[in-house]
Amino acid sequence: MDFKVENTAPNTSARAGLITTDHGTIETPIFMPVGTVGTVKGVHMHELADDIRAQIILGNTYHLYLRPGMDIIERAGGLHKFNGWNRPILTDSGGFQVFSLSANRKLTEEGAYFRSHIDGSKHLFTPEKVVDIQRSIGSDIMMALDECPPGTAERQYARKSLDLTLRWMERGWKHFCNTEPRYGHKQAWFPIVQGVTYADLRRESAQRVAELGADGNAIGGLAVGEPPEVMYEMIEVVNEILPADKPRYLMGVGTPVNILEAIDRGVDMMDCVMPTRNGRNGMLFMPEGTMNMRNRKWADDFSPIWADGPVSVDREYSRAYLRHLFVSDELLAMQIASIHNLGFYLWLVRQARKHIQDGDFKAWKTMMVNNMSKRL
């Protein structure tokens, strides 16, 4: 994997770059739609590629490992062939999902024991095993196994958790370097910075991560309960240390405003379930703010969802019709809203890239943050 910074924005840490993988080039900053079980909910692959213009999507190691299982994915020739997506794929390590199963998991030096949410069967994720699983999946970018503590964790727990994550990181990196891809394309491995909201722990973690010299680096454990201002502070602390010539991936973030603030602070890659999850519940993101499509005010608004919108559903359907679908509990409502929101998120990062290149990102970002904080 190769990364090149092409432009930087005055008075910010924002940058526009290119990530090159064997499955294609990714223009950064980039938002990555979440396809947990090998699919972005309610969206066809051709819609993701041609209409939404996604350049990379995510898969989830925990969910794919449990279902359909590695035997099926290996026999298919990897996740790209299994789901028909021929552009880059990133997989997380499954750590966040395992650690969210607080009543059904146990952490040890060896790894994380957990019980399947599907059938209760017992499993073990070690740093080495999650590398092997992601080799079987065939993702272009794979993630290290880490522990993701809550944003309100006390310092003693944060210290202990970080130490475990760092030891796991070293084991995962060693195993990655001693194994080979399965399907003929190169794979990258990203370590993850942790440390909750303690600046000194974040700095220590970022330094250890940077020293590995991996193809890229990730920032985890944010947007998990801490105030947005604290999240932004931690991003700044970490990005002062993470190397500028490697892509920086902020995991699981977030709202459109979060994304712009992260880009401002030097983040290149982001993902979140928010555009599809909120879309399924009737919330649409727009350049002027957010719309609740169940509100009565849209019942006789026959204008397009977004007249100048980047995806076809924005122009094909009216706001009144979409509201009708939502109040009638029609599945099409969730599909339209998901496509719209993903289209908006990808439009947003394309606009951010353009304004970085044009040199006026700071002024544009300030305007957009003000607009998108409103409810329409």
Side-chain angles (χ1 to χ4, degrees), residues 27-307:
E27 297 179 340
T28 65
I30 191 65
F31 177 80
M32 303 177 286
V34 177
T36 302
V37 296
T39 176
V40 177
K41 283 185 170 58
V43 184
H44 293 105
M45 291 299 174
H46 69 84
E47 292 168 327
L48 279 170
D50 301 333
D51 205 6
I52 294 167
R53 296 167 60 185
Q55 299 179 50
I56 176 174
I57 63 173
L58 268 69
N60 181 268
T61 294
Y62 166 85
H63 288 282
L64 291 169
Y65 164 78
L66 292 177
R67 187 168 52 194
M70 291 304 100
D71 177 61
I72 294 295
I73 289 180
E74 289 173 6
R75 286 161 59 191
L79 184 58
H80 288 90
K81 291 186 177 179
F82 187 55
N83 70 2
W85 178 257
N86 59 10
R87 298 182 183 183
I89 295 174
L90 181 150
T91 45
D92 63 18
S93 68
F96 182 82
Q97 285 70 33
V98 168
F99 302 125
S100 67
L101 302 170
S102 56
N104 293 302
R105 54 90 169 169
K106 178 182 178 182
L107 304 186
T108 69
E109 189 66 35
E110 183 181 11
Y113 288 91
F114 65 94
R115 290 192 178 275
S116 165
H117 72 285
I118 299 170
D119 59 9
S121 55
K122 190 174 183 180
H123 304 270
L124 169 65
F125 272 5
T126 67
E128 296 82 5
K129 184 171 182 177
V130 297
V131 169
D132 292 338
I133 295 170
Q134 291 175 95
R135 291 289 195 199
S136 294
I137 293 171
S139 51
D140 299 271
I141 301 172
M142 60 174 75
M143 305 303 300
L145 180 66
D146 65 334
E147 181 184 3
C148 181
T152 55
E154 294 184 358
R155 183 181 178 86
Q156 183 178 2
Y157 178 79
R159 173 77 264 176
K160 182 179 179 182
S161 172
L162 176 58
D163 288 343
L164 182 62
T165 287
L166 291 173
R167 292 193 296 272
W168 283 356
M169 178 185 76
E170 297 287 348
R171 287 167 51 191
W173 175 240
K174 181 179 179 180
H175 192 66
F176 171 78
C177 292
N178 290 331
T179 55
E180 295 293 331
R182 300 176 63 98
Y183 306 113
H185 63 267
K186 294 186 177 78
Q187 293 179 282
W189 182 91
F190 285 17
I192 303 171
V193 176
Q194 289 287 356
V196 194
T197 58
Y198 302 99
D200 60 326
L201 298 185
R202 285 281 175 180
R203 289 190 186 95
E204 177 186 343
S205 181
Q207 188 63 46
R208 292 280 298 276
V209 162
E211 289 169 356
L212 283 186
D215 285 325
N217 302 298
I219 306 169
L222 295 176
V224 288
E226 78 285 355
E229 296 75 18
V230 174
M231 174 175 69
Y232 302 148
E233 178 188 352
M234 292 301 103
I235 295 171
E236 292 174 6
V237 165
V238 167
N239 281 350
E240 288 176 358
I241 298 171
L242 292 182
D245 62 345
K246 303 289 179 68
R248 300 164 177 154
Y249 165 32
L250 179 61
M251 305 179 72
V253 178
T255 68
V257 169
N258 293 158
I259 286 173
L260 291 183
E261 295 292 358
I263 292 171
D264 191 325
R265 291 161 172 81
V267 168
D268 306 293
M269 308 166 67
M270 293 137 289
D271 77 285
C272 190
V273 297
M274 184 170 285
T276 47
R277 178 176 290 171
N278 287 32
R280 293 193 302 273
N281 289 305
M283 176 183 282
L284 266 60
F285 296 100
M286 302 287 282
E288 302 82 15
T290 56
M291 301 169 60
N292 182 346
M293 296 313 301
R294 294 182 180 274
N295 285 353
R296 175 66 181 81
K297 66 185 296 184
W298 311 118
D300 57 356
D301 184 342
F302 302 109
S303 62
I305 296 171
W306 182 7

